[in-house]
Amino acid sequence: MGILKSFTAAALAAGLFAAPAAASAAPRGEILFDSYGVPHIYGKDEASVFYGFGYATAKNHGDVVVKLYGQARGRAAEYWGPAEIESDKWVIANGVYERAKAWYAQEPASFRAKLDAFAEGMNAYAKAHPDKLDPSMLQVFPITGVDVMAHGHRLMNYVYVAPQGRTMDANADAGSNAWAVMPKKSASGKTMLLANPHLPWAPSQLTYFEADLNGPGFKMYGATQVGLPVLRFAFNDRMGFTNTVNGVLGATNYELKLADGGYLFDGKVRPFETRTASLKVRQPDGTLATQTLELRSSIHGPVFARADGKTVAVKVAGLDRPGGLRQYWDMGKSKSFAEYQAVMKRLQVPSFNIVYGDKEGHVQYLYNGILPKHPDGNVAKWAGLVPGDTSATLWTETHPYEDLPKVIDPPSGYVQNSNDPPWVSTWPQAIHAKDYPAYMANNGPMSLRAQHSSHLMADPPKITFDDFVARKLSDHVLMTDRVLDELLAAAAQSSDPEVLEAAAVLKAWDRTVTAEAKGALLFEAWARKFAGPTYISDANYRVRWDPEKPIDTPYGLKDPAQAVAMLKAAAQEAKTSYGAIDRPFGEVSRFALGKVDLPGSGGFGNTGVFHVMTWSPLKDGKRTPVHGETWMSMVEFSTPIKAVGLMSYGNSTQPGSPHRSDQLEHLSKKTFRTLWTTRAEVEKHVEERVAY
């Protein structure tokens, strides 16, 4: 602890919190933190808004964000010790910070000023409140515009597009929902938009931060991942956009064949390009030890030795495109659909489905991403290890915006996405896989969550805003519609008392994962056996998923007797795990953070639940969220707009903040906050006011 305390004194003595010279001339503004900890930032120009956003970021999420910036520098082990070595090696080997310097220099001076202002806002908070940050974070200051760029670059290109785990043979997990409804489908004749990302609850680079940014001629309300200086989920009085993860294959992992100290390529041995880098590692006594890294690159890109003995090179698309952050900013400032599309055509954002809606009645679904062009092959070929010994597999071009799947103002009156391939982004289908390269995206299978999403939008002829909100909260388990009646019929033929008891519980159950539901845990246990641990296998259905009937398959029981045996096993499992087969869902599933512990609802998306919550393993008879509902906003572009939302886990990760768990009651009760989007509304709920 003495070492940690010394960080504060040393940092202050060294003047590390002195704001850059430009800070003294920073435009002035004001931050109004409301009673949920949401910063409403009002600046006299764009740079002053960025300054305020940086200040608010440090206040609400300083410890998390500063660590992310240290990691993006490739110096995390120097700051925090050996646990960060692998993170640093990945960042250094991929040249993240050096490229961020080049990207920063390539940005227009006006945008560099915004990045600098965001950094200056963080520095100003740390200078004013060093005691509010973890002492070990203070050594990272001062933050610079390059740090802001580096964090965005690492997140977009080396967490989403080319995650370390994929190259090194691990898995990634993400998900989201999005809807945009046209006036023709809306009961009020007004466009509606749902933003509903699902990401982990533990504080990390994937944590969301809600904010309201206001300046001359622009307003953006919404959320973004902590540490980014722009909103990725945004709306104003005229328009809005949201994102879902789409898995665009923007990176290729090439397996190399080693030979004579190099690697084979087109029948010849090529030497690796090599360079040496150093890595400092903080020791338990506070001293620094230096490690030397011998880094290799092939014609494809940086080279890595995996634990399974394979040597892999990773080639990432979009490393020549520094403007992703600026594109998001300009998307939010667009004054018309035509202007928005012109911004999107820059194609600087390297991944994500992006869904848009505006007051004029336009909606768009875009399968966005920087996708390499290939001569042949499907997703499986290019998602796995690709032979790296031939130029035939080495891509050199990427697809332009015009090539990407998209749906604009469809006859159905809506677009939707729940992380599935783009082909059923509306119903009836407006685009088809056969019209695109096979490596663009798989042609299914479509998840039950995405099918549920399609039905929630397609089935009603008109949707009111209240219905829109209620449908977002749907806890119905779509999987039950496909199998439960047949399972109950088969169970009725059994004489086994355990089977009959379990069947009676499921028959009485309302087929939801609400807190009160008494059959949900039993069905979940059965579904794991029927469809596998992640609920995605359709092998045990009588009719498997059919691309000709994408939102109504699979269904039925291939082997009813086997399904009944699974029910008996599930009942035994439920008794062992929960003490009873009819334990209420919310007694076991808890929304618990800090001192707050409330009944939970929401279930695993692959069972067809739209209101998603992925639960931890059972501990002491309870489980808590690990992933699922995070930021939610629903907007109707009426005059004035209607906007409700929720940040499930609260709007601050700082220790001791009251805003870490103050929205859990809303989540438990399945209610939303009215989002305070006007200055007059905000003034009624001010918790703290900061002028700068």
Side-chain angles (χ1 to χ4, degrees), residues 528-594:
R528 266 196 308 273
K529 302 177 188 307
F530 182 80
T534 56
Y535 310 98
I536 61 174
S537 173
D538 67 355
N540 285 323
Y541 288 89
R542 185 176 72 257
V543 175
R544 303 186 73 169
W545 185 81
D546 182 352
E548 298 300 315
K549 299 177 180 178
I551 67 173
D552 293 308
T553 53
Y555 61 83
L557 305 177
K558 183 176 72 174
D559 185 340
Q562 179 190 50
V564 170
M566 291 175 178
L567 180 59
K568 179 180 175 71
Q572 294 169 342
E573 179 183 308
K575 286 179 181 177
T576 300
S577 298
Y578 311 125
I581 62 173
D582 60 350
R583 185 89 179 273
F585 188 81
E587 286 186 7
V588 172
S589 310
R590 308 295 294 180
F591 292 144
L593 283 173

Side-chain angles (χ1 to χ4, degrees), residues 641-658:
I641 63 168
K642 297 178 181 178
V644 300
L646 200 64
M647 186 68 80
S648 296
Y649 42 47
N651 210 38
S652 175
T653 52
Q654 285 303 94
S657 171

Side-chain angles (χ1 to χ4, degrees), residues 33 167 176 186 248 272 309 319 451 473 483 499 562 570 595 607:
F33 290 92
T167 295
S176 303
S186 168
V248 158
F272 289 108
L319 299 186
Q451 293 183 43
L473 290 168
V483 296
V499 170
Q562 179 190 50
K595 297 179 180 179
T607 64

Side-chain angles (χ1 to χ4, degrees), residues 312-364:
V312 177
V314 60
K315 183 175 174 65
V316 181
L319 299 186
D320 58 342
R321 304 189 190 189
L325 296 176
R326 180 160 46 90
Q327 179 177 324
Y328 271 120
W329 180 248
D330 290 345
M331 286 160 59
K333 291 199 304 174
S334 61
K335 303 301 183 186
S336 68
F337 184 44
E339 184 178 332
Y340 172 83
Q341 286 183 299
V343 174
M344 298 304 293
K345 287 178 182 178
R346 298 179 194 169
L347 209 57
Q348 298 280 318
V349 175
S351 189
F352 311 112
N353 301 291
I354 300 180
V355 171
Y356 166 95
D358 67 29
K359 194 164 190 170
E360 292 76 40
H362 298 293
V363 303
Q364 181 185 41

Side-chain angles (χ1 to χ4, degrees), residues 114-180:
K114 296 181 184 68
L115 298 177
D116 292 343
F118 186 87
E120 289 160 10
M122 291 193 67
N123 293 333
Y125 179 82
K127 183 179 180 181
H129 305 284
D131 57 315
K132 299 294 187 181
L133 297 170
D134 185 294
S136 73
M137 301 299 157
L138 302 181
Q139 61 191 315
V140 182
F141 288 92
I143 304 299
T144 69
V146 173
D147 292 318
V148 181
M149 176 67 83
H151 167 61
H153 174 33
R154 174 177 178 248
L155 176 67
M156 295 297 174
N157 296 98
Y158 290 100
V159 173
Y160 277 111
V161 174
Q164 185 173 3
R166 188 178 298 156
T167 295
M168 305 307 284
D169 196 27
N171 294 312
D173 185 23
S176 303
N177 297 323
W179 294 333

Side-chain angles (χ1 to χ4, degrees), residues 289-327:
T290 300
Q291 290 188 13
T292 299
L293 304 180
E294 301 294 337
L295 304 174
R296 299 176 294 172
S297 294
S298 70
I299 194 173
H300 315 85
V303 172
F304 301 91
R306 298 197 333 186
D308 61 6
K310 295 179 179 180
T311 300
V312 177
V314 60
K315 183 175 174 65
V316 181
L319 299 186
D320 58 342
R321 304 189 190 189
L325 296 176
R326 180 160 46 90
Q327 179 177 324

